[in-house]
Amino acid sequence: MRFDDTEIVISQRSTSDLLDMTLRLWGRYPARLALTYFVGCLPFYLLNMILVGWMVGSEALIAAELVQGGAILARWRHALDQVLLVFLELPLAGVLATTFLGQVTFKQNLSLAKIAQIVFRQWFTLLVVLGILRWAVVGPLILLFMPRTGTYDPLTELFLLAFLAVGFAVVARSFRPYAPEIIVLERCQLASRDKQQIRYGKRTQWLHAPVATECFARMMAIIILNMAGLISLLLTFLFFQGVFTGSWQWNWLLDWVVLPLVLWTLGGFATAFRFLCYLDTRIALEGWEVELLMRAEASRLAASQFKGVA
């Protein structure tokens, strides 16, 4: 019997169960969750096209054939930068979807405008924590100031973006992954005049410190799974493209449409998985399951007494 008044049955689960529930969650709200998620991703998709789309433009590909070792290297560079940018931007791009999941878990049917309003109230904390401290804004700025003429300097680009920005983000998100949920669902701020309100720094320490190892293991699991998914989906598209069109080559369609779509789709899976891990962590650390059961039972008893009086 279910006592908790939530869309997701509140109970502690293993990592494999959470992966299965992620698929079920997307199957439960395919249209609304996809709309909310991709609305948040659209600005970042356009930004990434501005930042790295020039690498696979016609003039850049011709120059690459003549100077920089071939168009294939330019396309590899573009694909790598796309992957790194999406990884950095995903927590910030997915805050609308995270808010949506937090609301529907407790059967609150909010419009997209209302969800956006809730997120906007936390804009400063989101900008500082996810945008600056976790490089969702700083990372794209690195590519914004990269020179677009001359020979490709892999040392500078790979060091700044891949090793510095992404490396720092991996460490932060591996051991403290629930920053988006803490900010948009628990409404924790960096600073508050209300002394009774828990600040973001204390909350993230309390929530992550006891489960840091488990968070790291789950982070590595979702990264490996998404990498396998990325390779599989791209190879599948190339196969069908070759069968139906006779072209087995990487082309503009993969550069501009398929690769970004696959990356952001896998990011949606990771966003829902992180949300479920957040619920699981709160259940394990805070006895949330017992609290919800007690609340639901109290509501049920109150409703039955009201019917008896009526």
Side-chain angles (χ1 to χ4, degrees):
M1 181 180 294
R2 283 189 59 176
F3 292 105
D4 51 289
D5 189 25
T6 57
E7 192 67 24
I8 301 172
V9 180
I10 302 298
S11 61
Q12 194 170 1
R13 293 178 171 87
S14 64
T15 301
S16 59
D17 289 336
L18 292 174
L19 291 170
D20 177 70
M21 278 200 66
T22 303
L23 294 175
R24 293 175 181 269
L25 192 61
W26 272 96
R28 180 70 175 83
Y29 306 102
R32 294 172 61 197
L33 180 54
L35 174 63
T36 307
Y37 172 70
F38 283 107
V39 165
C41 295
L42 181 60
F44 292 94
Y45 164 78
L46 298 176
L47 174 64
N48 293 348
M49 289 297 101
I50 295 173
L51 293 175
V52 300
W54 62 270
M55 297 178 185
V56 289
S58 57
E59 294 182 1
L61 291 178
I62 294 174
E65 288 285 2
L66 298 175
V67 180
Q68 298 179 9
I72 188 63
L73 294 180
R75 285 199 154 101
W76 272 108
R77 177 190 182 189
H78 170 264
L80 176 61
D81 286 347
Q82 279 275 10
V83 171
L84 297 177
L85 284 173
V86 170
F87 179 80
L88 291 173
E89 297 160 349
L90 181 60
L92 189 57
V95 292
L96 289 176
T98 299
T99 306
F100 169 79
L101 290 173
Q103 300 301 320
V104 298
T105 298
F106 292 93
K107 301 182 179 180
Q108 298 181 21
N109 188 14
L110 298 182
S111 65
L112 181 58
K114 183 63 176 178
I115 292 173
Q117 184 180 3
I118 293 173
V119 171
F120 184 74
R121 290 173 183 169
Q122 301 294 111
W123 71 269
F124 179 75
T125 306
L126 288 170
L127 177 63
V128 173
V129 175
L130 301 182
I132 298 177
L133 298 180
R134 302 204 174 188
W135 296 73
V137 173
V138 178
L141 286 176
I142 294 175
L143 284 178
L144 181 63
F145 293 101
M146 282 288 177
R148 301 190 176 190
T149 58
T151 58
Y152 170 51
D153 182 8
L155 180 61
T156 302
E157 189 167 324
L158 288 177
F159 175 76
L160 291 178
L161 190 64
F163 295 106
L164 187 61
V166 174
F168 186 86
V170 166
V171 173
R173 286 160 58 179
S174 295
F175 296 100
R176 296 190 175 187
Y178 307 131
E181 286 78 11
I182 293 174
I183 296 171
V184 298
L185 299 183
E186 301 185 25
R187 317 285 174 86
C188 294
Q189 300 179 357
L190 289 174
S192 176
R193 296 180 180 180
D194 186 1
K195 295 183 179 180
Q196 295 182 349
Q197 184 178 11
I198 301 177
R199 297 182 180 181
Y200 170 80
K202 288 186 177 181
R203 179 56 178 157
T204 191
Q205 177 67 23
W206 293 346
L207 186 62
H208 292 115
V211 293
T213 303
E214 185 176 35
C215 289
F216 177 80
R218 287 175 172 175
M219 179 70 173
M220 293 300 103
I222 195 64
I223 288 177
I224 294 172
L225 186 64
N226 273 1
M227 288 177 61
L230 174 63
I231 296 172
S232 299
L233 290 173
L234 291 179
L235 290 178
T236 300
F237 179 83
L238 280 172
F239 172 78
F240 282 106
Q241 175 183 269
V243 169
F244 289 106
T245 68
S247 173
W248 299 86
Q249 301 298 318
W250 192 286
N251 53 33
W252 67 268
L253 186 60
L254 281 113
D255 290 327
W256 292 91
V257 179
V258 177
L259 177 62
L261 182 60
V262 169
L263 289 174
W264 287 115
T265 300
L266 293 173
F269 180 84
T271 298
F273 175 73
R274 190 195 62 232
F275 171 77
L276 293 175
C277 291
Y278 162 77
L279 294 184
D280 188 72
T281 299
R282 289 199 63 180
I283 292 168
L285 297 181
E286 301 174 358
W288 203 22
E289 180 180 13
V290 177
E291 179 183 348
L292 290 175
L293 290 173
M294 295 297 292
R295 287 183 181 180
E297 180 64 8
S299 299
R300 188 181 68 84
L301 290 175
S304 62
Q305 290 178 358
F306 177 78
K307 291 181 181 179
V309 172

